[in-house]
Structures are given as C-alpha cells and as structure tokens.
Amino acid sequence: MKHLFPVLLGKLARFVTRLRGGGSAFPGYLVLKLSPRFIQDVANSFTHGIVFVLGSNGKSTTTHMLTETLRGHGLNVFTNPSGSNLPQGIASAIVADSDLFGRVRGDIGVLEVDEGYAVELAKVLAPTTVLVLNTQVDQLYRFYETERVADMMLDAASLASQHIVSNREDPYLSKIWMRYPEGDAHTGPDITYFGASEAVVAASPNGLVNAPDYRNEGIDEPDHVALAEVTESGGSAATIDVRGEAVELVLPAKGLHFALDAAAALATAAVILGDAFSGPKSAAAFSAMKPAYGRGELLKFGAEEVEFVMFKNGASLQLNLDALPEPPEQVLLSIDEGTPDISWIYDVSFAALDHVDVITGDKAWQIATRLEHEGFRIGAVEPDLNAAIDLMRALPSPTRGHKTWIVNYEQMMLARKRIGYLDMENQR
Amino acid sequence: MSATITVLQLYPDELGVNGDSGNASALVVRARLAGLEADHVTYRRGDTLPTDVDAVVIGGGPVSAMRNVHADLLAIGPALKEFAADGAVFFGFGSGAELLGHDIRLQDGATLEGLGILPFRAVRTGKRAVGYIKTVKDGVTLIGFEDHASQWKLDDGAEPLGLIEAGQGNQDERDHDTQAEPRKEGVRSGALVGTQIGGPVLPLNPVLTDELLGLVARRRGIDYARGDAHETLDHYAEKARGVILDNLNYTFHTI
Ligand SMILES: [Zn+2]
C-alpha cells in the first residue's frame, strides 16, 4: 500500500509527459522523491533477481539481446528502455510497468546501468548478476581517467550476489579474478567469461579497441576459458561457441563488437538458465530481433535508403568503421555538442572510408580539420543538419544500394525525425 | 638547403589518448604544405632514440601510464635534455607536459620525478577543470578543450603560454587569491611549450603551429612560410575556432 500515492502521481506524470510527446525521466524522479525505497521493493519481487549490464559501449544492444534471449526461453523479463540508464530513468521504467501498488510482474529484471551510478544503484537494487562488457576510452570529460570507469564497473561487479560475467578480451575487466585471490566459490559470486577466439580478434583491422590496462602490466594473466566465445564473425553473421555447442546467430547489426555483445548475452543467459539454456532457442530469439535502433538500421529516404551507423565514442566509431564491408558510396558524417570533446578523432583510423560527402553538426569544422590533415576528399561542410540532409538528398542515386550516415546519438535522433521517423527509442 | 624535419612523438600508446598524434600531425602536415620534407617518428619504450630531432611531442594519459613509461623516460632524459639545449621544439600536453616539468605530486601523496625541461611543477588536485578554454597572450589567441585536475606552479619568472579569458588553466591559487594577476595557462620558455589545452591544440591553432615550425626552420637554416597550400586547412580551422568561441560557455556534466 505504501507506494500507492507516489506511484499514482508517477503514473499521472508519465501520462502528462507522454501527451507532450516523448519519454521522460520525470515520473521516476517524482516517485524516487516521494518514495525512495520504491525501486528497492520492486527489485526484491523478481524471482530470478536483477541483472546489471555495464560497459563503455554496447549496453543497450546487449541488454536487448539478453532480454530477448531470456524471453525466448519463456521468462517474463522486465527491462528499462534503451538509454534510460540513470537511476531516475530506471525508476520511470518501473513506474511505467508497475501496477498501482508499485508491483512489477516479471521473473527477472535486466537493466542497463550507467557506469557512473552502477555502485550506488547496486547498493539499492542488490543485483544477483552483473555483466561487464568493456572499458574503452570514453567520456573523459565525465570520468577523467578510463581507469576510474573500469574501477566503477569492477566495484559494481563485486556487489553481485551470485554471478559476475566478464569480458576475457578486456584488459581491465578480465582482471576481476584478482579480487578473489582465494578462489570465488565461498568468498563471493562465481565468475564467468565471454570472449572471441584469437583468430577472430586478429582479423579485425584495429582489434577490439579496449583500453589497455597499464597498472597491472606485470601481472601474469591466467588462461580463462570463455563460456561463450565468438569463433566466427562476418557482417551480421556470427558463430558463438557456448559450452562446446556452436550457436549460429544473425546479429541485429554488423560488426565484431556486436558479435561480442551477443557472446556476452549468451554467456549471461547460460549462467542464469543453467541446463535450461538452449542454443536453438537463443538463435531463434536473435533472428526475431529487429535491427538495433540507429545501429545499422536501413530507413527509407525518398526513393532511396539510408543506413544509420551510430557511435558514441572513438572506440565505437572505429569498430563501426572497421565493420563496413567496403568504402560506402555516399557518406554523411555528423557529431554535435552531445559529444563535447572530440580530440579522439585524431586517434581514429578513417581508412575504411575513401571520402566523405557531407560533414555536419556543431563539430563539423573540427572533423573537417582532422580529415583535411590526412588529405581526405571532403564534399561539403555544412554544420546545419537540415541543410546537410538536403545536400545528401541532392546527390545522385547511389548505384550500390544506399547512403550511409555516420552519426553520434543526438544527431541520429534529429536525423531520424527529420526524414520522417518520429518513434522514440523506447520500444522493446 | 634541404633537410628532413623530424617530429618525434614519445610514447604514443601510453601518452596519446587525447588525440595527441594530431599535434605531431599538424607540425608535419603544415611543414609539408610549405614544401619541406617532414617525418612523423614515434618512440616507444625500449626503442632506439633518433639522434637528429627537430620537435618532440608528448601527450596525455592516465597516471598508471605515466608510471609505466617513467623509468624509460628517465633513461632517455639526458638525450632529451640535449635536444632541448640544442634548440629543438618541445611540445607537451597534459600528463606528458607534466613529465617534462620538475615533478608531479599525485593525489595519493607520491611524487613522480620529471625531467626538468619545462620550468614548472604539477600538483594533482582532484579539482576538475572541464570545458572549452580561451587564452590570449602577445596578440595570440589559443582555443581548445581542457579536461584535467592539475594545478601547475610555474617557476619564478617563468612565462605561461597564455592568459585565461575563458576556462580554468593552471588553477594557480596564488593568482586566484590576489586577483591581481590574470590567471595563466600552460608554460612557455622559448621553443619549449607545455599546455593543458586539448582539442588537440595545434591543428586548431595554426598560429602556434606556424610559430613553432618557424623556430624549427630557423634552427635548420631553412625557411618555413605559410602559403596558398595551407588555405583549406586554415579555413577549416578558422571555422572550427569560430564555433568553439560561440560555445565557450557550454557547460559539461562531469558525472
Ligand atoms: Zn547533459
């Protein structure tokens, strides 16, 4: 009963913000203010507990993959909308799904959580499982040093009551074992790894772009067995070896990083489901997934199509560029103030492109300056996104299918709207 | 007289996570556009140091990376000091600049010894300075992005690189208290430059890059002059600067 009034208010706030168009963290803010124990109580109601998904890159995608895989095994899964990974956003998601008493029906909660709030939230929500994806040089303006982000994730992982799932190929996160020197059986949660075979990693032009761990350089890393290992990856096809069984997947987007996200999701599902885990059920769940929002999606653009390639930092831009099968015929590249410091564009290899047609966003001139240092062929620099889209429209029809728009998150949202896609990224 | 200009970037893996190769690249590309031969050479731990160097570039990285290159840096220190005494250009950004200074006091109380090439010492404060920055000195305006938690204390009589018009810079408390002096950014002693302006700063500020290339050329006995070939690059940089100047007061969340 105690949450009735706050939840009612939260639901009312949600109704109002919906009318105004779009999602909002406000309902969650309101409920947290009025009833701070609200999300904690909801968390305790899931029979299989709560999974946290943390990482510099791929949180939304992996959360989606894990959610669909578990659903494919018959579980009723509660999850937060893509990108709503701050405490208030998570509370808002719970308000949206709860009945008037603050109860959410579900067997398990799968939540993507912002690294900066992971420990704080873990203390409230007591996750049974924490999945840590990767540590990349990301948002230095927020975190200053990558090491700090790695520690936030490792600290949060250590708060898992049952399982930690970590990336064997990530120099920081693979060292979670160092926190359990006596072995993990009696001292804390068990540790499971996911990864990619040496051959698969070696075939990627710039590797996996995870941050190097300089502080543990002298440490002798044991050979960890990966419960789920990417053994083949090409475009949107991947083969993942799970406990010796080869699971062939169609990924919702192209690239090795998505294959690794899939391995993370399968490893986590296998740990949670135990013997009930099924390769065929997982593969079926993957083939039913819609292309990830803004990640390799093909959208109609007049009589043509646009492929959206979304990135959030230098590492994800690099991995997405490396996943391009050939230099795209028509390219728009856009970054705005949603990515404040773009010094890293000088660390990214643009070898996967042979030209750029239009550069746009607040950072357009900075990008042009960087590419010009390499003697890149640049068609036009047009900071205004609408004008830039008109320039792309005015180009002759591409002979090889579609135009490619490489954009940061904020620019993707604007560009989608501009070409007539008004849906928000919260449908799961 | 023709000669190849060698731009040496130190520890690009450990101290190069802020687009620092862009600073080396700006020097090399602008020299080439002026018709000069120029090479971007990298030095990693354990490599053999080249003997004939015109400019040394070192960039930013985490404390663990500073610790990892530290022994190697001290080992090549005498050779680097010789380059500096010979009039080579030194351009240090962030952590790399701090290692060129006297020493760095870290937050855990430990002190890392520097090479003493740049006349300052650094104190890691935990007080973050994040956002766009603008400095002016001797008619030269520098702009970029700063992101650090360091106080830089210049030696008595040492000159800063710029005086702050927007941003935090050296966070020198003495200046803050008195309000008498304008706040400072970076350190400059002839051909030796240290700064916390990122972006990276040299591609965004061709005026500084050209000045450093002028010093490089004079020492070689050749001419460096900006010309028509630089037009596109300078146009893009000028426009990029304009946008940053318009957005100087944009605030960034730090957590
Ligand atoms: Zn914000």
Side-chain angles (χ1 to χ4, degrees):
Chain A
M1 255 330 253
K2 62 185 170 180
H3 299 312
L4 177 59
F5 175 65
V7 170
L8 261 174
L9 260 184
K11 283 201 170 283
L12 185 64
R14 184 176 129 81
F15 178 68
V16 172
T17 49
R18 281 261 149 155
L19 283 181
R20 287 169 43 223
S24 165
F26 179 68
Y29 170 80
L30 201 61
V31 173
L32 278 182
K33 263 267 186 277
L34 297 170
S35 181
R37 282 182 53 85
F38 170 65
I39 53 174
Q40 191 165 20
D41 287 357
V42 170
N44 292 335
S45 71
F46 297 120
T47 45
H48 281 72
I50 282 194
V51 185
F52 274 17
V53 180
L54 311 175
S56 301
N57 193 21
K59 284 189 287 286
S60 295
T61 304
T62 310
T63 299
H64 185 53
M65 289 171 169
L66 177 58
T67 297
E68 292 306 316
T69 302
L70 293 174
R71 283 176 180 162
H73 285 79
L75 261 60
N76 187 349
V77 184
F78 169 78
T79 186
N80 52 336
S82 183
S84 296
N85 54 25
L86 304 179
Q88 289 153 15
I90 291 168
S92 283
I94 292 173
V95 171
D97 270 34
S98 72
D99 65 19
L100 290 180
F101 302 98
R103 287 178 309 220
V104 177
R105 248 167 264 288
D107 302 315
I108 188 166
V110 178
L111 301 174
E112 67 159 287
V113 175
D114 182 273
E115 304 84 271
Y117 295 93
V119 168
E120 184 188 319
L121 264 177
K123 285 175 183 162
V124 176
L125 291 177
T128 42
T129 304
V130 175
L131 163 61
V132 285
L133 293 172
N134 47 46
T135 314
Q136 293 169 346
V137 178
D138 177 40
Q139 303 191 73
L140 290 178
Y141 67 94
R142 259 185 91 195
F143 298 123
Y144 190 35
E145 289 195 352
T146 305
E147 217 160 273
R148 215 178 131 215
V149 186
D151 282 335
M152 288 171 179
M153 291 192 273
L154 291 166
D155 290 347
S158 300
L159 294 174
S161 59
Q162 293 176 18
H163 316 291
I164 296 171
V165 183
S166 182
N167 184 348
R168 184 184 64 187
E169 323 307 341
D170 185 282
Y172 279 113
L173 301 182
S174 68
K175 299 204 180 63
I176 184 74
W177 59 272
M178 289 173 64
R179 297 194 170 207
Y180 302 93
E182 306 299 325
D184 55 39
H186 305 288
T187 54
D190 52 49
I191 298 172
T192 299
Y193 289 94
F194 65 93
S197 73
E198 254 177 76
V200 162
V201 176
S204 172
N206 295 286
L208 297 171
V209 209
N210 293 321
D213 174 3
Y214 292 114
R215 65 184 171 186
N216 291 311
E217 227 177 27
I219 300 293
D220 204 9
E221 181 97 15
D223 290 328
H224 306 293
V225 172
L227 181 72
E229 183 182 77
V230 182
T231 53
E232 273 173 71
S233 166
S236 53
T239 306
I240 296 170
D241 187 290
V242 186
R243 292 191 190 120
E245 177 191 1
V247 183
E248 283 177 32
L249 297 179
V250 181
L251 303 172
K254 283 180 284 200
L256 174 57
H257 51 312
F258 291 108
L260 218 67
D261 291 344
L266 294 196
T268 309
V271 161
I272 291 167
L273 295 164
D275 290 342
F277 176 84
S278 149
K281 280 181 186 170
S282 303
F286 268 77
S287 51
M289 273 178 220
K290 278 189 276 180
Y293 190 87
R295 298 151 182 100
E297 250 186 333
L298 279 174
L299 299 183
K300 282 216 171 310
F301 181 54
E304 301 162 11
E305 281 186 316
V306 169
E307 177 173 13
F308 273 83
V309 177
M310 204 254 307
F311 63 91
K312 57 171 290 205
N313 57 28
S316 67
L317 175 57
Q318 186 71 73
L319 292 165
N320 282 312
L321 288 172
D322 292 349
L324 293 170
E326 58 191 349
E329 191 179 341
Q330 292 182 351
V331 186
L332 171 139
L333 181 57
S334 180
I335 310 180
D336 67 6
E337 293 291 2
T339 310
D341 178 12
I342 59 162
S343 304
W344 48 259
I345 51 173
Y346 287 84
D347 299 326
V348 170
S349 161
F350 287 88
L353 305 178
D354 57 11
H355 77 290
V356 176
D357 293 286
V358 181
I359 307 179
T360 184
D362 303 310
K363 305 290 191 185
W365 297 109
Q366 281 193 58
I367 302 167
T369 305
R370 183 261 180 270
L371 292 179
E372 183 65 22
H373 273 87
E374 220 167 295
F376 234 74
R377 187 153 57 84
I378 296 170
V381 186
E382 172 49 71
D384 180 73
L385 180 65
N386 289 339
I389 290 175
D390 289 342
L391 289 175
M392 288 304 284
R393 205 187 298 275
L395 292 176
S397 281
T399 57
R400 286 183 313 211
H402 54 264
K403 303 181 195 263
T404 303
W405 294 8
I406 305 171
V407 289
N408 70 339
Y409 181 81
E410 289 77 3
Q411 290 286 282
M412 179 204 54
M413 298 298 285
L414 292 171
R416 278 180 66 104
K417 269 190 194 152
R418 168 71 183 163
I419 65 171
Y421 289 80
L422 303 172
D423 56 315
M424 300 294 291
E425 186 185 19
N426 53 13
Q427 274 107 48
R428 273 265 159 81
Chain B
M1 178 190 165
S2 108
T4 299
I5 291 171
T6 301
V7 176
L8 175 69
Q9 188 186 356
L10 300 177
Y11 313 115
D13 303 321
E14 294 90 344
L15 301 176
V17 298
N18 298 89
D20 301 286
S21 66
N23 286 323
S25 185
L27 290 165
V28 169
V29 168
R30 295 185 74 79
R32 286 179 186 160
L33 289 173
L36 304 174
E37 305 238 331
D39 279 342
H40 180 174
V41 177
T42 53
Y43 171 87
R44 291 177 165 80
R45 274 181 284 170
D47 285 355
T48 305
L49 205 63
T51 49
D52 193 10
V53 171
D54 295 276
V56 176
V57 173
I58 184 167
V63 170
S64 57
M66 294 167 85
R67 288 191 202 273
N68 279 18
V69 303
H70 194 243
D72 190 275
L73 182 76
L74 293 185
I76 62 169
L80 294 177
K81 285 183 201 173
E82 222 168 286
F83 293 155
D86 263 3
V89 163
F90 272 70
F91 183 86
F93 166 77
S95 308
E98 293 177 353
L99 286 168
L100 297 179
H102 298 301
D103 52 39
I104 305 115
R105 198 162 82 231
L106 301 170
Q107 274 199 284
D108 63 9
T111 298
L112 269 183
E113 183 190 348
L115 295 182
I117 292 173
L118 288 172
F120 80 107
R121 36 181 34 100
V123 179
R124 293 294 178 95
T125 58
K127 194 177 135 215
R128 294 286 304 285
V130 186
Y132 290 124
I133 180 167
K134 177 190 180 190
T135 69
V136 178
K137 189 166 180 285
D138 305 328
V140 173
T141 300
L142 299 178
I143 53 96
F145 195 92
E146 68 176 333
D147 185 354
H148 58 87
S150 251
Q151 199 180 82
W152 284 16
K153 299 179 174 182
L154 305 192
D155 290 2
D156 286 341
E159 288 282 311
L161 177 63
L163 302 173
I164 297 282
E165 291 213 342
Q168 305 294 314
N170 292 353
Q171 306 196 43
D172 190 317
E173 277 167 0
R174 285 171 304 177
D175 298 345
H176 264 298
D177 292 344
T178 62
Q179 297 287 320
E181 287 177 80
R183 290 177 299 137
K184 298 165 182 172
E185 199 295 315
V187 60
R188 173 84 192 254
S189 168
L192 313 173
V193 178
T195 185
Q196 308 207 71
I197 305 180
V201 68
L202 292 184
L204 282 172
N205 297 273
V207 61
L208 177 60
T209 317
D210 285 349
E211 194 200 332
L212 297 177
L213 281 172
L215 295 173
V216 162
R218 195 174 317 146
R219 175 166 164 270
R220 280 265 170 209
I222 52 182
D223 284 326
Y224 169 81
R226 186 203 164 277
D228 291 346
H230 295 78
E231 201 57 56
T232 309
L233 208 51
D234 288 355
H235 171 64
Y236 289 158
E238 194 49 43
K239 288 289 198 176
R241 294 163 59 80
V243 175
I244 290 175
L245 289 171
D246 287 346
N247 291 342
L248 273 182
N249 296 319
Y250 191 100
T251 47
F252 299 95
H253 298 270
T254 52
I255 189 94

